[in-house]
Amino acid sequence: MRRLFFILLTAALLFCLGGCGGSPSQSDRMNSPADVQEEESAQKDIHKIGVAVYDVRDDEVIAFREYLTGYIEKCFPEVRFCYSYAIRSETDEMRFLEDACGEGVEGILSFITYDLPEEVAYCRSQGIYYVLASGTVTEDDYESVADDPYFLGVIGPGNRIEHEAGAEMADYFIHEKKGKSYILFTGGASIGNEMHHARSVGALEVFEKEFGALGQDVEELALTEETVKLSLGDVDLTIFPGYTTRENVEKQATKELESGSYDYALSMFSMYSMVDVLQKVGVKQGVIDCYSITNKELFADGTLCYVAGKFSSTIGPAFAAMYNAVTGYGKEFREDGRAFRMTQGYWISKSKEEYNEQYALATGIYVNAYNYEDLRSVMKAYDETASFEKLKALTEAYTRQEAQERRNQ
């Protein structure tokens, strides 16, 4: 039934360039959390923004889309978002950029990158802006494009926080859950996903610290393209690479879970396609992912017992940065003339009670962590006092406590 749910949800939420979204109805605007006047929006140009996503069925992608189309487009009706379907290679990424430019977008909010310098170079050739809206890149990749005026910057955890996220999850399961057999899903670490790479290294370093030498270099294990099985005294650890959304990887992962005797699965990414298998074999899971309804249900039934997650409105500041660029204020929102790097980390839940407590603010449309007033205050076209310093301060005030304080003002 869960698999059928995702198929139906995918059909309902097809991400396509042809569906840039129609104008919100008058009733929608009246019900918007912001008092957006039709006369005001009618005087503004329509700004098309491309959104590059890695998988239409991913919970995080769905949550981000609900925030952008269900909230942002209603608050800022002069904006239209044009989505990719699923980007799984450099070729897919470049094809989407070409198609998006054909649709007349002014900028790209990206959630996946395979070759950042090439992607930014193409955007520059077309005169459109590019921002990595929620992610992590290597220092070399950042430096290669930091001075390009069409590259706005990167917003996301960064390597240090990604590393800590993997380490903290491993530490929790080793010391609090005390399992005897673990499987570590490294996702796209072996094919250039820097987020998954940093998380995997962090987790493996904790296993090495706790149980001694792993027999191979931690970096090599994080980047392995083949399944590796380790015996660490009384504890067994399997490192399993690849995206389980890809059919061949899913089959291999299913076989591994069914043939092993694992206590816990530590996942560097969402594994919604594997839920039925995890439940069937009784493997409990920890994941670095997002606050979603699926994870809420998995916490409730006991399949999930740890989440380090992003929340849907975390991408609000990236939208604000893009809006400043497409409305002519891009130069004012750079850091010493270079592309910015701003930090946003994760919220963590270790129980269903903790998860449920944070869920409403994490996923709310009308009450959320970054709302209309927050974003308007850092958009120069709306507020002449908006500045890069204000945008950076708002972006990096991502913790639940800081978000709650903004909503309680």
Side-chain angles (χ1 to χ4, degrees):
M1 288 299 294
R2 188 177 297 275
R3 187 67 57 83
L4 176 59
F5 168 78
F6 280 115
I7 292 172
L8 293 174
L9 187 58
T10 299
L13 293 177
L14 285 178
F15 288 29
C16 59
L17 281 168
C20 288
S23 299
S25 66
Q26 183 64 29
S27 61
D28 285 338
R29 291 177 185 168
M30 292 175 64
N31 292 329
S32 170
D35 184 18
V36 182
Q37 297 296 324
E38 187 167 0
E39 292 80 4
E40 180 183 3
S41 64
Q43 296 173 1
K44 297 180 181 294
D45 294 330
I46 295 296
H47 299 290
K48 287 185 180 180
I49 298 172
V51 184
V53 301
Y54 42 88
D55 193 326
V56 64
R57 301 166 300 173
D58 185 83
D59 278 7
E60 184 176 271
V61 171
I62 292 170
F64 287 165
R65 179 185 172 97
E66 288 174 348
Y67 175 73
L68 289 176
T69 60
Y71 184 77
I72 293 298
E73 278 192 356
K74 290 182 172 62
C75 291
F76 303 95
E78 70 274 18
V79 173
R80 300 289 181 273
F81 295 107
C82 303
Y83 290 82
S84 68
Y85 177 73
I87 293 175
R88 298 183 175 182
S89 67
E90 181 181 341
T91 300
D92 290 345
E93 177 89 2
M94 296 308 298
R95 183 181 298 116
F96 170 68
L97 294 181
E98 293 170 2
D99 290 343
C101 288
E103 289 289 324
V105 304
E106 298 176 75
I108 300 290
L109 290 176
S110 182
F111 297 96
I112 185 70
T113 176
Y114 283 90
D115 189 333
L116 185 63
E118 182 179 358
E119 292 150 16
V120 171
Y122 181 79
C123 288
R124 181 178 64 251
S125 73
Q126 301 299 308
I128 68 170
Y129 298 99
Y130 182 104
V131 64
L132 189 59
S134 182
T136 298
V137 297
T138 65
E139 184 70 19
D140 287 345
D141 276 350
Y142 168 78
E143 286 295 338
S144 71
V145 293
D147 294 317
D148 193 311
Y150 287 93
F151 178 60
L152 304 184
V154 181
I155 298 178
N159 285 84
R160 180 182 62 82
I161 291 179
E162 296 286 17
H163 182 277
E164 290 176 356
E168 289 174 9
M169 182 166 66
D171 186 79
Y172 173 76
F173 277 94
I174 291 171
H175 293 104
E176 299 298 325
K177 293 300 184 179
K178 303 183 187 300
K180 293 297 183 182
S181 183
Y182 299 89
I183 181 168
L184 183 70
F185 288 94
T186 60
S190 64
I191 57 173
N193 188 315
E194 185 60 20
M195 293 182 293
H196 296 178
H197 169 232
R199 296 168 191 172
S200 299
V201 169
L204 287 166
E205 286 180 350
V206 171
F207 275 96
E208 184 175 58
K209 179 180 178 181
E210 186 67 22
F211 301 109
L214 302 181
Q216 294 185 46
D217 181 75
V218 164
E219 187 72 20
E220 292 178 359
L221 289 171
L223 297 175
T224 182
E225 297 179 9
E226 303 292 337
T227 302
V228 177
K229 293 179 179 289
L230 304 174
S231 180
L232 310 174
D234 293 335
V235 170
D236 293 325
L237 172 65
T238 296
I239 298 98
F240 190 99
Y243 290 106
T244 53
T245 50
R246 302 182 182 183
E247 186 176 357
N248 63 321
V249 178
E250 181 181 357
K251 288 181 179 178
Q252 294 171 14
T254 299
K255 183 177 179 181
E256 182 60 41
L257 287 168
E258 290 180 341
S259 63
S261 299
Y262 295 106
D263 298 318
Y264 298 107
L266 279 60
S267 307
M268 303 301 117
F269 63 107
S270 171
M271 289 177 54
Y272 53 85
S273 64
M274 302 298 298
V275 166
D276 292 343
V277 179
L278 290 168
Q279 292 174 334
K280 176 183 175 182
V281 299
V283 176
K284 307 300 183 183
Q285 186 188 26
V287 66
I288 302 176
D289 183 26
C290 67
Y291 280 77
S292 67
I293 185 61
T294 300
N295 286 339
K296 186 174 187 293
E297 293 170 352
L298 295 178
F299 250 124
D301 70 21
T303 303
L304 196 60
C305 48
Y306 185 100
V307 166
K310 297 178 183 178
F311 46 93
S312 60
S313 66
T314 190
I315 59 175
F319 161 73
M322 179 60 70
Y323 192 93
N324 281 322
V326 301
T327 53
Y329 299 101
K331 291 182 179 179
E332 298 181 37
F333 289 84
R334 296 180 72 78
E335 195 161 22
D336 298 325
R338 308 188 87 209
F340 54 72
R341 281 188 290 187
M342 293 187 274
T343 301
Q344 287 179 326
Y346 298 99
W347 294 0
I348 295 177
S349 295
K350 301 176 182 178
S351 69
K352 66 179 180 180
E353 292 78 17
E354 193 173 15
Y355 189 92
N356 291 341
E357 185 179 353
Q358 299 185 116
Y359 179 75
L361 186 58
T363 62
I365 291 296
Y366 297 115
V367 180
N368 53 54
Y370 289 104
N371 72 3
Y372 172 74
E373 287 77 16
D374 295 331
L375 301 182
R376 183 183 174 106
S377 72
V378 294
M379 294 162 68
K380 196 79 171 182
Y382 282 95
D383 187 334
E384 64 181 12
T385 69
S387 65
F388 172 74
E389 290 72 24
K390 286 185 176 181
L391 175 61
K392 183 177 176 66
L394 176 65
T395 302
E396 298 189 343
Y398 67 85
T399 68
R400 177 175 176 255
Q401 180 179 351
E402 290 167 314
Q404 192 69 60
E405 287 173 355
R406 286 198 295 273
R407 298 294 71 83
N408 290 338
Q409 289 176 352

